[in-house]
Amino acid sequence: MDTIVIGLGGMGSAAAYRLAQRGHSVLGIEQFSPVHNLGSSHGGSRITRQAYFEDPAYVPLLLHAHELWEGIERDSGIDVFHRCGGIMIGEPDSRTVAGSLLSAQKWDLPHELLDAAEIRARFPTMRPADGDIGLYEAGAGFVVPESSVAAHLKLAERAGAELHFEEKVLRWSTSSSGVRVETSHGTYEAAQLVICPGAWAPELLAELGIEFTIERQVQYWFAPSDVSAFQRHPIYIWEGDAGRQFYGFPAVDGSVKVAFFRGGQTCTPETIDRTVHAEEIAAMTEFVRARMPSLPVEFQRAATCMYTNTADEHFVIARHPSRDRVVVACGFSGHGFKFVPVVGEILADLVEGGTAHPIALFDPARLTGAR
Ligand SMILES: Cc1cc2nc3c(=O)[nH]c(=O)nc-3n(C[C@H](O)[C@H](O)[C@H](O)COP(=O)(O)OP(=O)(O)OC[C@H]3O[C@@H](n4cnc5c(N)ncnc54)[C@H](O)[C@@H]3O)c2cc1C
């Protein structure tokens, strides 16, 4: 094998595809089944947007990602990207609004600014406070994580990748001649290794010396009183008191998903409480009712998921600092999915020697004091 990819979730499925497409012989190894719901890439929807409040440095990657989704959909025949528009709501100086505006202006992205009355008139489901404004981006929307993973796995296999599921990597090592990966089923050797471990980063990448915090997050689905009002609806991120961000999606199959961004309990993949408790559901119902009164008529279901946070909430995408046959992609800090196709491309570039994509922000040295 030229390259082994560990982890076939969001990022690893995309890396396996890009490498195989470029003619590498690829072995992908995943501990669970294809498109499982035990990591970070499930729940039916992930926001994508380009006026990125987190940092304008992400924008060129997002411009490219939005182009790449089209190719993934065309080549796989699987729908992934739903362009329904998106609105970032909060006080004018909130991070959500001011940060999005900065990226929009810096990169000349099409956008509209709406005051609270205009938001209420255009999107009657939402009741922003009088001082709130919204930045609307017509090109925003959501991607379906399960469809993305399924599409990338299908394309990877079609391009010749060998994919193993229900096989756990126990340890990996490098030597001057290659890499060795020991799993629950056997031992494999290759020239290079790509590690996309999601919430298992503390286990598989302890040697990086980065402190990752795994965070339990809950996604909630409600049935609205009038589902048609939520059918043509933008995605939104809504910043309220104390910088707390709440977000949601249009109706999919009659259900509307909402969640909080951050503020979850710290856990590990072994200790995460996958039960969603009645108090949590009651608290979310009350929170939503104050902002979107027509939404939480009937609670339908909830599901937990994990964020893998770095200290500054920026990603880690790089060649391993002390193992030059190893490339890593981790610490996506709850906002990585929208980058999946471009991360796949970057990982394939790094395996081949280097990338032209701007990834200086994702250098692990910033987190380890090595820089
Ligand atoms: C509730 C929630 C909402 C989110 N919302 C958004 C959003 O709106 N927009 C957005 O852009 N992002 C969002 N994200 C973040 C995004 O989903 C993640 O950044 C992304 O899914 C991370 O992908 P990954 O490949 O790193 O992890 P995963 O998809 O979890 O993949 C890691 C894989 O590695 C495998 N693995 C680990 N260890 C081993 C081992 N030892 N052997 C074999 N296999 C192994 C795991 O089983 C897993 O399949 C959200 C995340 C959550 C949880």
Side-chain angles (χ1 to χ4, degrees):
M1 286 292 165
D2 296 325
T3 310
I4 295 174
V5 178
I6 302 179
L8 295 174
M11 306 301 166
S13 63
Y17 165 51
R18 283 298 164 198
L19 285 161
Q21 186 204 30
R22 293 183 190 182
H24 297 243
S25 57
V26 175
L27 169 62
I29 308 177
E30 164 59 48
Q31 64 183 336
F32 299 129
S33 58
V35 199
H36 62 86
N37 61 4
L38 298 169
S40 305
S41 299
H42 58 280
S45 48
R46 291 291 185 266
I47 287 178
T48 182
R49 53 198 157 91
Q50 294 179 327
Y52 215 55
F53 63 77
E54 286 85 343
D55 199 301
Y58 288 91
V59 177
L61 300 175
L62 289 164
L63 294 172
H64 192 51
H66 280 203
E67 290 168 9
L68 290 175
W69 288 119
E70 281 172 27
I72 298 296
E73 290 184 313
R74 191 187 52 236
D75 296 344
S76 68
I78 297 176
D79 286 341
V80 181
F81 186 3
H82 300 263
R83 206 180 287 259
C84 56
I87 184 163
M88 303 295 114
I89 303 175
E91 292 185 353
D93 62 354
S94 63
R95 184 175 181 225
T96 307
V97 171
S100 300
L101 186 58
L102 177 72
S103 277
Q105 288 170 335
K106 197 158 175 186
W107 287 94
D108 204 15
L109 302 172
H111 66 281
E112 293 169 64
L113 286 177
L114 309 176
D115 65 21
E118 288 167 325
I119 297 171
R120 288 184 212 117
R122 193 147 151 198
F123 307 111
T125 54
M126 301 201 268
R127 300 264 172 92
D130 286 341
D132 283 351
I133 65 168
L135 182 144
Y136 180 76
E137 211 187 341
F142 67 95
V143 293
V144 180
E146 292 87 347
S147 302
S148 168
V149 176
H152 281 106
L153 294 178
K154 178 175 173 182
L155 293 172
E157 269 189 321
R158 193 190 286 164
E162 186 180 328
L163 306 179
H164 293 188
F165 295 94
E166 312 288 353
E167 180 164 350
K168 186 175 169 76
V169 171
L170 304 175
R171 60 189 70 81
W172 58 269
S173 58
T174 59
S175 69
S176 54
S177 59
V179 302
R180 169 190 281 257
V181 174
E182 283 174 60
T183 74
S184 49
H185 290 43
T187 300
Y188 307 91
E189 287 176 352
Q192 298 208 58
L193 184 57
V194 178
I195 307 184
C196 304
W200 288 263
E203 241 173 72
L204 281 173
L205 292 172
E207 205 190 10
L208 280 179
I210 294 174
E211 196 177 321
F212 297 103
T213 308
I214 311 303
E215 186 179 336
R216 172 185 181 269
Q217 284 293 341
V218 182
Q219 319 173 75
Y220 300 84
W221 285 263
F222 290 98
S225 53
D226 173 14
V227 79
S228 67
F230 285 90
Q231 251 146 7
R232 258 188 226 115
H233 201 282
I235 58 91
Y236 49 90
I237 300 180
W238 193 331
E239 182 170 331
D241 302 342
R244 189 177 203 193
Q245 290 163 312
F246 152 79
Y247 65 90
F249 298 84
V252 176
D253 298 331
S255 295
V256 174
K257 185 173 109 175
V258 293
F260 289 115
F261 198 15
R262 314 200 178 286
Q265 294 144 2
T266 299
C267 66
T268 71
E270 287 71 42
T271 65
I272 181 171
D273 179 3
R274 294 196 185 266
T275 305
V276 178
H277 301 275
E279 315 81 84
E280 293 180 289
I281 296 163
M284 180 55 111
T285 305
E286 191 185 331
F287 186 93
V288 174
R289 195 161 278 151
R291 288 156 185 82
M292 307 185 90
S294 65
L295 175 52
V297 168
E298 185 198 332
F299 167 76
Q300 293 183 313
R301 64 194 170 98
T304 60
C305 177
M306 291 178 283
Y307 286 1
T308 305
N309 297 325
T310 62
D312 61 7
E313 293 167 359
H314 295 307
F315 311 157
V316 173
I317 307 176
R319 191 158 278 282
H320 193 296
S322 55
R323 305 275 184 161
D324 64 6
R325 293 179 171 275
V326 182
V327 169
V328 300
C330 56
F332 287 95
S333 303
H335 63 116
F337 212 92
K338 61 184 80 60
F339 298 88
V340 156
V342 69
V343 171
E345 210 172 77
I346 292 167
L347 294 173
D349 291 347
L350 292 175
V351 166
E352 292 179 341
T355 187
H357 287 295
I359 60 164
L361 184 62
F362 312 139
D363 184 347
R366 75 187 196 276
L367 298 166
T368 58
R371 191 177 72 190

